[in-house]
Amino acid sequence: MCAAVPGYSPGFKRPPETLRLKRKRARRSETTSPPCSRADPAPAPRPFPRPGRRNPFSSLDNAPRPGTPELQEQRPPPGSQAPRHPLWQFLDPLQENKSTWKEECSERADVATLTNDLHLPVSIPDVSSSPSTEFPADWSIKTRLLFTSSQPFTWAEHLKAQEEAQGFAQHCRATSVNFPQSIQEPKLSTELRCAFQQSLIYWLHPSLPWLQLFPRIGADRKIAGKTSLWSHDETLQQVLMSEWSVSFTSLYNLLKAKLCPYFYVCTYQFTVLFRAAGLAGSDVITAVISPTTRGLREAMRNEGIEFSLPLVEETRSKTHKNSETNLDTEDNSPETGKNTEDGEEQGVSDDEGFSWLEEMGVQDKIKKPDAISIKLRKEKNEVQVDHKPESVALVKGTNTFMLLNFLINCKSLVAAAGPQAGLPPTLLSPVAFRGATMQTLKARSINVKTPVHSCYNDIFSLEITGPVMPHCLHTLTMLLKSAQRGAFSAVLYTHEPTAVFNTNTERILNKETMCKDLTKCGLHLKTLDQLIQLPTLRKSSIRLLEMRDYAYTWKS
């Protein structure tokens, strides 16, 4: 049985390969070390116990024998000191420092992550801007914000209980706080700290503390293995969906009354942004869905919901304009239109096109394409945009109420299998609604020293994690503008499926009228003024935001 053990030697005459290599490395280090290092010699393995110690396994005939020549070769020379370290440390020297290494890595992880973030290739994005007093509205949801500045963020640390309570009260009462252009002592400003707590609050449904409910797209790995009592209980699933329907309806009613500016519905397949009338340049309620599929769009058509595909229509219009500018295309444009009409009537003429097979008598030998294949061929261009930003769908006006009923009754809205099975979609809102739970974004500050030439400079950072909605981003920048004396930069991490929500879908309307109707929606007036503006970022979102001398520049 002993012979089956790898590296086993009855007399310990042939040590395992691991031990032999470790010993050789130690000897090399001794021979190559300078004379000055002999005061602290490198530890060497002790292959056998001292002569006065009895081997307890001598009955297995593996005790050392004095006359063995191999033993005499391996004994240390007379006058040498016995090693101070036991043998097991040399079998795996990394085990000794493994716990210390883990502790050092955990302590340095935050600093290393921040240092990497500061050197991210954020200068690569496509579109940059010129300095401006305001940055455009970004309707995408951010998962993380990393602010950096030469001024410390001590004012955002260790809020007192009274300051947190005051921040909660200001949020529930929709209290707007205005600050001067520069605050001399931000750490001593109680109003600033309360407003910071107020800006971190958002409302969520459902609330399951042991699950991360945002983002939902691609979150199966994070949710897998977590306890889900409802996955196999249909009664519990019905209760959850019933409560979710009540909360969803409550949000829509607040939106219709202009008491809620916007909210998000996050499913495991797509995300829906509902915006109140007056936001993003629209005079009616709008709903933007992304990404969509042919099956979802077909189901919406069957329910009588009218919608448009803005990016697809924009591409078609550009193609049509380009064809008009081309003289050759102008000459062939009637034929192109005729071909398009013929393509629309292809379903009628397909049956007649196979009549010649019957005349030849080979209709049974050649497989005729079915109606589904013909239909898919016609919708080839529409299917190609599935799961892409170009598949974004826009619903306006009273059709948004029909979309509400469609989402409540849609069985495919909830996953039937997998880690998210039976879990209702996530509702995110900047204001309270029925069945919602108050949540706060996580904030922490980190200080890092970065090398500059021959010295080190202090860089102070503030990290915000969680579902950062558009109003929160603007409110935080207003606070930082005063607290950091008009100089800071921010790296923004976007939830990519929501970046297409910045697509321009409307024309700007009367700005004063829209702003007046939405004054009771719970947002700061300056934030509301930004969200009223027409979206200009198209399919992209802001990745880098920087302020210098109280002027913004951004890259998307």
Side-chain angles (χ1 to χ4, degrees):
M1 178 180 68
C2 296
V5 180
Y8 178 80
S9 178
F12 293 102
K13 300 176 182 178
R14 296 185 300 274
E17 187 68 14
T18 305
L19 177 60
R20 187 182 298 115
L21 293 176
K22 301 293 181 183
R23 188 180 63 223
K24 287 181 179 179
R25 291 175 182 172
R27 287 183 178 179
R28 290 175 183 174
S29 62
E30 289 179 359
T31 57
T32 57
S33 60
C36 60
S37 63
R38 293 181 181 272
D40 188 11
R46 183 176 60 186
F48 298 103
R50 295 181 180 179
R53 185 176 179 181
R54 178 180 176 276
N55 188 352
F57 301 100
S58 58
S59 59
L60 297 177
D61 196 21
N62 59 359
R65 299 178 183 178
T68 306
E70 298 174 358
L71 177 60
Q72 294 177 359
E73 295 176 2
Q74 295 181 1
R75 286 180 179 175
S80 63
Q81 297 181 357
R84 301 178 182 179
H85 301 278
L87 178 63
W88 61 269
Q89 293 187 5
F90 298 95
L91 297 177
D92 191 1
L94 294 178
Q95 293 289 342
E96 182 180 359
N97 300 326
K98 186 173 290 186
S99 59
T100 307
W101 180 79
K102 287 184 178 180
E103 293 175 359
E104 292 177 358
C105 287
S106 61
E107 294 175 359
R108 297 176 183 175
D110 296 337
V111 178
T113 303
L114 175 61
T115 307
N116 293 334
D117 291 338
L118 294 177
H119 299 284
L120 283 175
V122 292
S123 59
I124 298 178
D126 302 328
V127 182
S128 59
S129 67
S130 56
S132 175
T133 57
E134 192 61 87
F135 62 94
D138 191 345
W139 288 100
S140 63
I141 305 178
K142 310 297 180 182
T143 57
R144 183 185 176 210
L145 307 178
L146 184 61
F147 296 97
T148 57
S149 175
S150 58
Q151 302 294 327
F153 291 93
T154 52
W155 55 271
E157 300 176 348
H158 309 296
L159 300 181
K160 299 179 181 179
Q162 184 177 0
E163 293 171 342
E164 290 186 359
Q166 184 65 25
F168 293 146
Q170 290 179 184
H171 173 80
C172 295
R173 297 169 184 172
T175 304
S176 298
V177 182
N178 297 316
F179 294 97
Q181 187 177 18
S182 178
I183 300 177
Q184 298 300 326
E185 294 293 338
K187 188 177 181 180
L188 303 179
S189 176
T190 304
E191 294 182 353
L192 177 64
R193 294 162 66 88
C194 294
F196 177 68
Q197 177 64 43
Q198 178 184 358
S199 64
L200 300 179
I201 298 174
Y202 67 97
W203 296 85
L204 173 76
H205 180 88
S207 177
L208 303 172
W210 64 93
L211 292 180
Q212 183 177 347
L213 296 177
F214 180 84
R216 295 291 297 273
I217 299 177
D220 289 350
R221 292 184 178 180
K222 296 182 180 180
I223 300 179
K226 304 291 181 65
T227 303
S228 56
L229 304 176
W230 56 86
S231 58
H232 302 289
D233 191 342
E234 295 183 359
T235 304
L236 186 55
Q237 291 181 13
Q238 293 178 359
V239 172
L240 290 175
M241 284 303 301
S242 177
E243 291 296 322
W244 180 84
S245 301
V246 172
S247 299
F248 188 18
T249 307
S250 171
L251 260 178
Y252 185 83
N253 292 336
L254 290 171
L255 189 81
K256 189 176 181 180
K258 295 186 178 181
L259 299 177
C260 173
Y262 63 90
F263 67 89
Y264 293 87
V265 181
C266 306
T267 74
Y268 76 106
Q269 288 183 323
F270 57 88
T271 307
V272 188
L273 167 61
F274 284 85
R275 289 184 290 214
L279 294 184
S282 176
D283 59 345
V284 294
I285 298 177
T286 57
V288 190
I289 312 171
S290 175
T292 63
T293 60
R294 173 185 169 275
L296 176 62
R297 296 190 294 268
E298 189 68 23
M300 292 170 59
R301 290 192 187 99
N302 295 336
E303 293 294 327
I305 302 175
E306 297 180 1
F307 63 92
S308 60
L309 304 177
L311 296 181
V312 175
E313 295 176 357
E314 182 181 358
T315 304
R316 290 176 181 174
S317 62
K318 288 183 179 180
T319 304
H320 182 68
K321 290 181 180 178
N322 293 335
S323 63
E324 289 181 351
T325 55
N326 192 334
L327 297 178
D328 296 338
T329 309
E330 287 181 358
D331 296 336
N332 299 329
S333 58
E335 298 179 2
T336 305
K338 184 178 181 181
N339 293 335
T340 305
E341 295 175 359
D342 294 342
E344 296 175 353
E345 298 176 358
Q346 186 178 0
V348 181
S349 60
D350 279 334
D351 295 335
E352 299 177 357
F354 294 100
S355 59
W356 60 275
L357 295 176
E358 298 180 0
E359 297 178 358
M360 298 179 63
V362 294
Q363 69 275 10
D364 298 333
K365 298 181 180 180
I366 298 178
K367 186 178 180 180
K368 181 180 178 182
D370 53 1
I372 298 178
S373 301
I374 298 174
K375 186 177 181 181
L376 289 176
R377 186 176 180 181
K378 292 180 183 179
E379 300 175 353
K380 179 181 179 181
N381 295 332
E382 185 177 355
V383 174
Q384 287 178 347
V385 300
D386 287 357
H387 303 289
K388 296 181 180 180
E390 290 77 13
S391 66
V392 59
L394 174 65
V395 184
K396 301 180 186 178
T398 56
N399 289 282
T400 57
F401 181 73
M402 300 174 66
L403 178 64
L404 167 75
N405 294 327
F406 169 75
L407 294 177
I408 292 176
N409 299 318
C410 182
K411 294 182 179 180
S412 61
L413 191 70
V414 179
Q420 302 190 52
L423 185 62
T426 302
L427 301 176
L428 294 173
S429 171
V431 299
F433 59 95
R434 183 174 177 180
T437 304
M438 177 186 289
Q439 304 286 341
T440 57
L441 302 172
K442 296 180 181 180
R444 64 170 183 170
S445 59
I446 306 173
N447 301 334
V448 178
K449 290 184 178 292
T450 58
V452 178
H453 300 294
S454 60
C455 59
Y456 287 86
N457 289 350
D458 291 330
I459 293 184
F460 304 95
S461 66
L462 177 65
E463 183 186 37
I464 309 293
T465 56
V468 183
M469 289 182 279
H471 77 284
C472 180
L473 174 61
H474 187 266
T475 305
L476 288 172
T477 55
M478 288 195 303
L479 297 180
L480 294 175
K481 179 180 179 180
S482 300
Q484 305 305 117
R485 300 177 183 177
F488 66 89
S489 62
V491 181
L492 315 180
Y493 297 81
T494 305
H495 181 47
E496 292 303 328
T498 62
V500 74
F501 290 159
N502 292 314
T503 302
N504 184 5
T505 57
E506 294 290 340
R507 295 182 179 179
I508 194 68
L509 302 175
N510 191 345
K511 178 180 175 181
E512 296 180 357
T513 304
M514 291 186 296
C515 187
K516 182 179 180 181
D517 296 339
L518 292 169
T519 52
K520 298 181 180 180
C521 68
L523 299 184
H524 196 281
L525 292 180
K526 293 183 179 179
T527 303
L528 183 61
D529 185 65
Q530 184 207 40
L531 298 181
I532 288 176
Q533 303 295 332
L534 199 66
T536 58
L537 297 174
R538 298 175 60 80
K539 293 187 294 183
S540 61
S541 61
I542 299 178
R543 311 288 177 174
L544 177 64
L545 182 65
E546 187 174 5
M547 169 173 274
R548 290 184 180 180
D549 297 330
Y550 298 95
Y552 288 105
T553 56
W554 62 89
K555 294 182 180 180
S556 59

